[in-house]
Amino acid sequence: MTLQTRIENAAAHVTARTSPDTLRHDWTRDEVQALYDLPFNDLVFEAQIVHRRWFNPNQVQKSTLLSIKTGGCPEDCGYCSQSSKFETGLKATKLMEVERVLEEARKAKEAGASRYCMGAAWRSPKDRDMDAVCAMVEGVKAMGMETCMTLGMLSVEQTLRLKDAGLDYYNHNIDTSEDYYKEIVTTRTFADRLETLARVREAGINVCSGGIVGMGEGKDDRVGMLVALANLPEHPQSVPINQLMQVEGTMLGHSEEIDPIDFVRTIAVARIIMPKSVVRLSAGREHMSEETQALCFLAGANSIFIGEKLLTTKNPEADKDARMFEKLGLEPMPAHSCPSER
Ligand code: SAM
Ligand code: DTB
Ligand code: SF4
């Protein structure tokens, strides 16, 4: 068999199973489990074919995060440094001044970020905070970056205000499978998360939703999470896959770490079942080898956070990331080039 025939056969096999042109919302757990369990080389190859249908495989989007309101959160998310239910030594702060947020955003743009993500440790925003939050969106947008906010649960009115301010993306993670969710968070439900996601989607804001792995979940929970995301009425335009950043003092401060190959499998399956979404290699790069990160890009991840801090935990130094981009021949993805963006 010639190389050309082998490539054509492989492409036909992928198309028969997962056609990258059809966006499916009827994935079964069995189908997705079967993808997850493929021999690793077959899985990554399949993910690459889907990836190349919609994206330039050498472009990776760069986002920067800022915690605009840190700590003191009333929720009990078992992974989070910012929950008031845990003693993590984190100092709680008030909502940052708009001008300070814009100063930080300017620095992020200079450092090469095309998206600015602002996060607040709230169960949901107070209406009195909405003027400041909307001013942050408007200010960052005026710099030419994509804007993203993550503020907890939103009412319909708050969602519409964010849309009017020009917010591009809203991040709201389902975190894990519906079954495992109750083990991790008790102060809100999986259904509450879906309700906010529906409000965001219906307001016409791009959805950023994914989850965390390495929380002691089983592979069936990773599969359950990915099925739940892919079977939403629209695939989230951005799908962050976070590796748990273990924080001393939280419920999950000493949980069992995920095997890097399983992490890459999670990325590859996300890529295959949500072909037009940006898959984000989010938290956890600080503890990941360059080789694992390279495998993640090969498996279809095409977004990272840059900057030395995530919200409260560490992220790789800028020069380390610059060397990795250079070594792998990666280039930044320009703003607004996601094929599923609204
Ligand atoms: N309070 C809002 C909420 O929970 O929706 C927004 C901020 S919250 C910190 C944003 C997301 O960060 C969470 O949904 C979770 O998926 C992720 N996250 C939080 N702590 C993490 C950790 N230690 N490791 C990895 N991801 C984490
Ligand atoms: C997401 O999925 N990951 C980011 C962003 N959305 C808001 C947050 C990661 C937080 C990691 C833990 C911390 O720094 O506190
Ligand atoms: Fe609060 Fe969000 Fe942390 Fe949960 S993840 S404790 S809601 S800041």
Side-chain angles (χ1 to χ4, degrees):
M1 218 192 304
T2 63
L3 177 62
Q4 184 60 28
T5 321
R6 244 186 292 152
I7 292 174
E8 278 166 15
N9 286 353
H13 159 77
V14 170
T15 308
R17 186 205 292 268
T18 54
S19 175
D21 288 326
T22 318
L23 301 189
R24 285 185 50 192
H25 301 273
D26 59 353
W27 290 97
T28 67
R29 272 178 175 252
D30 285 350
E31 279 177 305
V32 175
Q33 183 85 54
L35 283 173
Y36 191 100
D37 288 336
L38 277 175
F40 187 74
N41 290 345
D42 288 342
L43 175 63
V44 173
F45 180 73
E46 200 152 325
Q48 259 290 308
I49 290 199
V50 175
H51 192 45
R52 282 167 185 266
R53 167 68 183 84
W54 291 107
F55 293 97
N56 175 336
N58 302 313
Q59 283 189 347
V60 171
Q61 188 230 30
K62 294 177 175 179
S63 307
T64 291
L65 260 173
L66 176 70
S67 180
I68 58 172
K69 193 271 164 210
T70 306
C73 183
E75 303 270 25
D76 69 353
C77 313
Y79 45 77
C80 188
S81 62
Q82 308 199 66
S83 164
S84 59
K85 313 285 187 229
F86 307 123
E87 280 298 333
T88 62
L90 188 74
K91 195 173 156 289
T93 66
K94 290 199 297 200
L95 181 63
M96 267 170 93
E97 298 288 332
V98 177
E99 210 26 69
R100 267 196 63 211
V101 172
L102 300 186
E103 254 167 57
E104 293 301 316
R106 259 175 232 120
K107 290 185 211 157
K109 182 166 171 139
E110 268 163 40
S114 63
R115 183 184 298 182
Y116 203 59
C117 308
M118 295 158 270
W122 287 326
R123 174 176 165 81
S124 48
K126 301 265 185 303
D127 287 341
R128 62 166 189 262
D129 294 318
M130 290 307 290
D131 284 346
V133 161
C134 289
M136 292 171 195
V137 172
E138 284 160 6
V140 172
K141 208 174 163 68
M143 294 174 201
M145 279 189 285
E146 296 172 8
T147 52
C148 180
M149 286 249 158
T150 180
L151 311 171
M153 294 182 275
L154 296 179
S155 67
V156 173
E157 293 70 29
Q158 290 171 336
T159 314
L160 295 175
R161 281 212 60 193
L162 289 169
K163 173 69 185 166
D164 281 349
L167 183 69
D168 296 301
Y169 286 82
Y170 194 75
N171 167 248
H172 200 65
N173 291 339
I174 63 166
D175 280 342
T176 186
S177 68
E178 182 165 12
D179 289 344
Y180 198 55
Y181 197 81
K182 309 181 230 349
E183 311 289 323
I184 304 294
V185 185
T186 68
T187 48
R188 57 167 190 255
T189 63
F190 195 79
D192 290 332
R193 291 309 259 189
L194 297 183
E195 193 178 3
T196 294
L197 288 176
R199 288 177 180 166
V200 171
R201 191 171 55 242
E202 281 156 23
I205 300 173
N206 294 293
V207 169
C208 173
S209 188
I212 311 177
V213 294
M215 299 197 294
E217 76 286 344
K219 78 174 170 188
D220 52 325
D221 294 307
R222 284 170 221 139
V223 165
M225 172 180 92
L226 294 170
V227 169
L229 292 168
N231 288 349
L232 288 169
E234 260 176 35
H235 295 164
Q237 283 77 12
S238 278
V239 180
I241 306 293
N242 295 278
Q243 176 166 301
L244 177 72
M245 292 295 286
Q246 295 187 353
V247 178
E248 194 63 45
T250 62
M251 182 179 91
L252 295 171
H254 297 275
S255 61
E256 197 190 328
E257 280 182 29
I258 182 174
D259 183 285
I261 296 296
D262 278 322
F263 187 83
V264 179
R265 284 182 180 277
T266 308
I267 297 266
V269 174
R271 163 52 61 228
I272 293 169
I273 68 176
M274 292 173 275
K276 285 172 85 172
S277 305
V278 166
V279 176
R280 317 183 71 198
L281 168 53
S282 300
R285 291 195 308 112
E286 173 69 8
H287 305 301
M288 229 175 255
S289 71
E290 211 166 60
E291 293 86 338
T292 300
Q293 294 183 61
L295 280 176
C296 289
F297 299 132
L298 193 64
N302 56 352
S303 169
I304 58 167
F305 285 114
I306 58 162
E308 66 203 33
K309 209 167 164 202
L310 293 165
L311 289 172
T312 67
T313 63
K314 270 186 68 61
N315 201 39
E317 304 285 338
D319 54 344
K320 201 171 167 198
D321 278 343
R323 279 198 302 276
M324 178 175 73
F325 264 59
E326 175 74 32
K327 226 193 257 192
L328 300 178
L330 296 174
E331 51 186 73
M333 187 192 292
H336 303 296
S337 55
C338 167
S340 61
E341 192 175 282
R342 283 147 173 258

